[in-house]
Amino acid sequence: MSQTTTQSASHPTLTQRIDAWWLTSLLILVGGLFAVAYLTWAAVIGVNYEWGPYVSPIYSTPFIPSWWKLSPAFILLWIPAGFRLTCYYGRKAYYRAAFADPAECAVEEPYRKSFKGETAFPFVMQNLHRYFLYFALALTGLHWFEFFQSVWHGGAIYFGVGTVILLLDTLALSMYVFSCHSFRHMIGGKGRCFTCQKFGKAKFKVWAKVTILNEFHGKWFWISLYSIIIADLYVRLLSMGIIPFDPHFTIF
């Protein structure tokens, strides 16, 4: 590449990088906005979220109080919403994509003069992530319970296309939650050493496994975000009759 081309392709006010550094942030912004828009719509509408043995994971709740007037999705939706918004990977993604803070590595931060980090409202709320983890663990258990409940349907084992979709979504959610930085810390990161505590060897083995998962935490963030959209959409299309039937087999 000639010197003229290099200079014309660079952005000296922001960065000297000449590659498409903005592309990743743009894709994250578009993908994130689409997911938020769909999930908000699906939660607010409050209909067509169950069919046969299937219930959309967006509407995962053990009970609906008689006095509840809003969509059932909002009973527990605050848990995944809070967990994802305060997620360490999630912060990196939307800080860069939505706030250009910074847009990418070696790219100037246009808001640095007024940036207060996570010391002022509302971003100080990010410190609640470790507490949202406990709710997320409980919610993951609830998703597994409802998955097995969909398999055991009407006194028989029911296994269909929707079963596979719900299983993959529940697995993706589990991988996302159990690869969490806070979960890794809870398992063993908070200790000074493994050899000077009870069950240190066992804790180290679990911590090492979680560390491997943690390396792919960002990928599971996106996989689990879109797997729940696919699961909800499949159940919704069945409920609306757009998909006429769910290919399946039963074992009595």
Side-chain angles (χ1 to χ4, degrees):
M1 182 178 293
S2 67
Q3 183 177 2
T4 303
T5 304
T6 301
Q7 290 177 346
S8 63
S10 65
H11 303 272
T13 57
L14 293 176
T15 181
Q16 294 296 319
R17 290 177 58 173
I18 61 173
D19 61 322
W21 54 266
W22 46 269
L23 182 58
T24 300
S25 293
L26 178 61
L27 291 175
I28 288 175
L29 181 62
V30 172
L33 288 176
F34 174 81
V36 170
Y38 178 88
L39 292 171
T40 301
W41 170 81
V44 170
I45 196 170
V47 294
N48 299 320
Y49 57 85
E50 57 184 339
W51 180 92
Y54 305 141
V55 177
S56 165
I58 297 177
Y59 288 78
S60 179
T61 178
F63 63 91
I64 303 175
S66 58
W67 49 265
W68 188 261
K69 303 301 181 182
L70 301 176
S71 167
F74 292 112
I75 295 177
L76 293 179
L77 194 60
W78 58 273
I79 296 177
F83 186 67
R84 287 182 181 276
L85 283 173
T86 59
C87 168
Y88 296 126
Y89 169 79
R91 300 183 210 182
K92 171 188 171 183
Y94 66 76
Y95 279 3
R96 289 187 172 190
F99 307 134
D101 184 38
E104 271 295 337
C105 294
V107 179
E108 184 180 351
E109 302 175 47
Y111 311 112
R112 173 51 59 184
K113 291 182 179 180
S114 59
F115 180 68
K116 297 181 180 179
E118 297 178 351
T119 61
F121 185 82
F123 296 119
V124 69
M125 303 294 289
Q126 305 283 25
N127 294 312
L128 294 175
H129 181 65
R130 70 191 70 179
Y131 303 107
F132 272 112
L133 170 65
Y134 298 108
F135 292 107
L137 289 170
L139 186 65
T140 302
L142 177 61
H143 274 243
W144 278 109
F145 173 78
E146 292 196 342
F147 166 74
F148 286 115
Q149 200 171 39
S150 71
V151 173
W152 181 252
H153 178 68
I157 295 176
Y158 182 102
F159 198 92
V161 172
T163 308
V164 176
I165 293 174
L166 290 174
L167 174 60
L168 293 176
D169 174 59
T170 306
L171 283 171
L173 174 64
S174 301
M175 295 299 286
Y176 171 57
V177 172
F178 288 111
S179 66
C180 172
H181 298 75
S182 289
F183 182 73
R184 178 174 178 264
H185 176 77
M186 183 177 71
I187 292 298
K190 60 184 178 181
R192 290 182 177 273
C193 66
F194 288 102
T195 56
C196 56
Q197 57 180 297
K198 291 183 178 180
F199 311 109
K201 186 177 293 186
K203 286 183 178 180
F204 174 76
K205 289 181 179 180
V206 176
W207 177 81
K209 299 295 184 184
V210 174
T211 299
I212 296 173
L213 291 178
N214 181 251
E215 295 178 10
F216 303 96
H217 186 57
K219 292 181 175 60
W220 287 116
F221 176 94
W222 289 104
I223 292 171
S224 61
L225 183 63
Y226 273 84
S227 68
I228 195 171
I229 291 176
I230 293 171
D232 174 83
L233 185 60
Y234 185 77
V235 175
R236 191 170 299 280
L237 293 178
L238 280 172
S239 179
M240 295 172 66
I242 297 175
I243 296 179
F245 64 96
D246 175 56
H248 71 280
F249 65 86
T250 55
I251 302 175
F252 294 95

